[in-house]
Amino acid sequence: MSLAAIAPTGVAPIASIVVPAYNAAATIGETLRSLLAQTFADFEVIVVDDGSSDRTAEIVERFEDPRIRLVRQRNRGLAGAHNTGIAASRGEFVGFCDADDLWMPEKLELHVDHLRREPEVGISFAGSSMIDIEGRPLRVAQRPKLTGLTAADVFLRNPIGNGSAAVVRRVAFDAIAWRPPQESERDWWFDESFRQSDDIEGWLRFAVTTDWRIEGIPGLLTAYRIHTGALSADIDKQFRTWVRMRDKIAALAPDLVERHGAAANAYQLRYLARRAVSLHRGREAARLSRASLAASRVPLWREPVKTVVTALAAEVLNLLGGAGGRLVEARLRSVAAH
């Protein structure tokens, strides 16, 4: 893959939207249609086919809109697809949308307006609604804190929330770019040594090493698709990866991790407990929930309902086994999603 070979000529668009895609044939068409329906029209869409073995690239190539560009590469993971897309982008602003998520029509317009009005904001984001694998609303949403954000807020709760929520000012994001010795093609913005927790690592590194602000705008502007099958990865491995991310940030901001590390651990363990409940893994859910409460009581007093419901759901599922799975999952979903 040569970035020089794929770079187009002509006037650069105001915004670029990077779409990492790996075996996304089932959803990539719907995702692209939602992007092409944006009310702000001066953009390019860069789809990075990250070594797919299905019809992802074929479906992308069927779109005749000249704003869509397809970049193919060997599989480098989500961070690697993001980095390739950023490197190929030409816009003043760069947004991200996973190949199974959807943007509301006004999303790009609102973020571009926000970034233009607030020159000190480097990352703009908004809340997200949840949809199932078929695109049906799940009646739960991510409604994060939007303003007055500190590095501690990003560390504890990751208000950006998911990989399809952020639109960044390119000049601001370039402040965290670097090129590892083994890299010969382009810079890294996200750390490709992380196959998980790569997004929060990037946002945290941005928060602790630059003076740019991270700020949200009102509205649920992304439809974030929940894949039950995607939750089946090794949850303990996910936590180990998150700990490695935390330790990397500790080298950059030791005071932040010393002060908030225990609470951050508790939030992450609670999140993983909820994932275990969704998978009907009662024993694992109870273990993670108990570990969360043991790590710190901060989530309990800051978000008592969510923390208690998670703990009760985990314990009930552990007690009842598979028979209680649907009951506790429904109760868990009645509380706002992580």
Side-chain angles (χ1 to χ4, degrees), residues 102-261:
L102 308 174
W103 274 16
M104 298 302 102
E106 68 276 19
K107 179 174 174 68
L108 185 58
E109 180 178 4
L110 292 173
H111 287 299
V112 168
D113 179 66
H114 179 217
L115 290 164
R116 283 174 165 170
R117 285 186 292 103
E118 301 289 344
E120 295 181 354
V121 172
I123 299 177
S124 177
F125 67 94
S128 302
S129 60
M130 304 294 174
I131 57 177
D132 67 12
I133 186 65
E134 302 297 333
R136 296 178 295 238
L138 291 174
R139 295 189 295 180
V140 292
Q142 293 175 334
R143 292 184 172 89
K145 179 180 177 181
L146 301 177
T147 60
L149 296 173
T150 66
D153 291 312
V154 178
F155 186 30
L156 292 170
R157 302 297 288 121
N158 183 18
I160 295 172
N162 63 74
S164 300
V167 177
V168 306
R169 191 185 305 275
R170 175 61 185 269
V171 68
F173 213 44
D174 281 346
I176 66 167
W178 88 104
R179 183 168 296 198
Q182 72 275 17
E183 177 60 60
S184 61
E185 295 180 347
R186 41 60 172 163
D187 289 344
W188 289 15
W189 290 261
F190 295 98
D191 189 339
E192 295 182 31
S193 71
F194 288 89
R195 286 289 176 135
Q196 298 165 337
S197 298
D198 49 289
D199 54 347
I200 182 61
E201 186 277 331
W203 309 140
L204 259 177
R205 186 159 34 87
F206 183 90
V208 301
T209 63
T210 81
D211 294 326
W212 293 95
R213 283 164 41 209
I214 299 175
E215 187 171 274
I217 58 176
L220 303 178
L221 301 181
T222 298
Y224 179 68
R225 198 180 304 263
I226 301 295
H227 294 268
T228 301
L231 302 180
S232 60
D234 185 332
I235 290 177
D236 285 334
K237 181 180 179 182
Q238 292 177 47
F239 185 65
R240 291 193 299 271
T241 302
W242 185 87
V243 169
R244 184 165 73 88
M245 180 280 302
R246 179 203 65 194
D247 292 344
K248 177 180 177 179
I249 297 302
L252 299 173
D255 291 345
L256 174 72
V257 176
E258 182 178 359
R259 182 175 180 183
H260 299 287

Side-chain angles (χ1 to χ4, degrees), residues 287-305:
R287 175 177 59 81
L288 290 162
S289 177
R290 294 168 190 170
S292 173
L293 291 169
S296 171
R297 296 303 172 94
V298 169
L300 180 61
W301 63 259
R302 285 190 178 177
E303 298 177 352
V305 173

